[in-house]
Amino acid sequence: MRIHLLAALAILTSSAAPAPAHAGFPVRVKMRCPVGGEQFTHTTTASMSTWGERPDGKPYGSWTFPLALPECPTNGLIVFREEFSRAEKATLQRLIADPAYRALRSSDTPYYRAHWLEGRLNPGSVDATWLLLRAVWEAEEGSDRRARYLREFAQQAEAAPSSTEYWTMLQLRAVNAHRELGEFDAARARLATLPTPPAPPAAVAGESEEAAWAREEAAEQAQAMAAYRTGLQVLIDRGDASIAPLDMLPEREVAERCVDLGDRIAESDLAQRVCTTEAVAAEMEEIRSIRAEMAAAGG
């Protein structure tokens, strides 16, 4: 699977009914560094589930996101692909010896370093831009580093040619980056330039089961993207630069936050509107019940 695919498609799957939960559990994988051959162990997971995402695309789920990238302990190479060509390995050896890359090891996140490497292996690569979005997820909320990543991501996304795969989603993520930076005029202007998504194809008499499935999938994706776009417009119009606005989060996360707010729900019009919906209220009762049982059991 290409680097950018999951980051691009996360929004397209978040509106579906949640699948049975698969708790993440750690798995230690033995690896060999593509440059230098050093052997090391990387911890990842073999099973996880997700249940929606933040406006920047970072998923909520049973594991940490973004998934940790392997890093060669000695030379600091971030292994962001399963394979590299012989020529790429030679280039990587030069890149990781560059003082600029060595400086990044102490100042920037693993995905940002992967973005830096990919951008030099393949100048103009959209894969580098998607890696940068994941670096945004790694950066601390409210930090100067996160602001820098958001700004770089918006610039690179907007420079991508319109023929780029998943171009519209890339631009919507850039709109959100401007929004989180408090650049509401830029976010509004960029959103206004994006074409209206085409209507999903209509059913065709006698179509095959595979064709019907593909059509229904396309319709669900179009609906999810339209909802995301509408949600961004709402946030921009009210001047909301928050990383996790209540009305743009999955139901489970909303309910958790509403329970934690307690009596403070009354202090916010948004919280009152979101936390008192029938679906969220029901989820809140379940969360309270689970917490009570855990407390009674000494958990």
Side-chain angles (χ1 to χ4, degrees), residues 1 4-20 48-54 57-61 65 134 137 166 169 173 213 216-228 250-251:
M1 182 175 290
H4 63 276
L5 187 55
L6 284 178
L9 294 184
I11 186 67
L12 304 183
T13 59
S14 64
S15 63
M48 64 179 178
S49 58
T50 61
W51 47 82
E53 63 181 29
R54 295 188 320 206
K58 183 177 180 178
Y60 291 102
F65 296 96
R134 295 187 183 193
W137 303 351
Y166 305 116
M169 178 53 67
R173 296 299 191 206
W213 181 88
E216 292 169 1
E217 184 76 7
E220 289 179 1
Q221 292 181 358
Q223 182 180 15
M225 188 174 296
Y228 179 54
E251 189 174 281

Side-chain angles (χ1 to χ4, degrees), residues 128-148:
T129 306
W130 286 116
L131 285 166
L132 181 52
L133 178 62
R134 295 187 183 193
V136 169
W137 303 351
E138 291 177 302
E140 303 84 354
E141 181 177 356
S143 66
D144 291 342
R145 178 162 61 181
R146 180 177 171 83
R148 173 164 58 90

Side-chain angles (χ1 to χ4, degrees), residues 74 99 189 280:
T74 301
V280 171

Side-chain angles (χ1 to χ4, degrees), residues 41 93 141 159 210 216 233 240 296:
T41 301
Q93 187 167 15
E141 181 177 356
E210 288 185 358
E216 292 169 1
Q233 186 70 67
D240 189 338

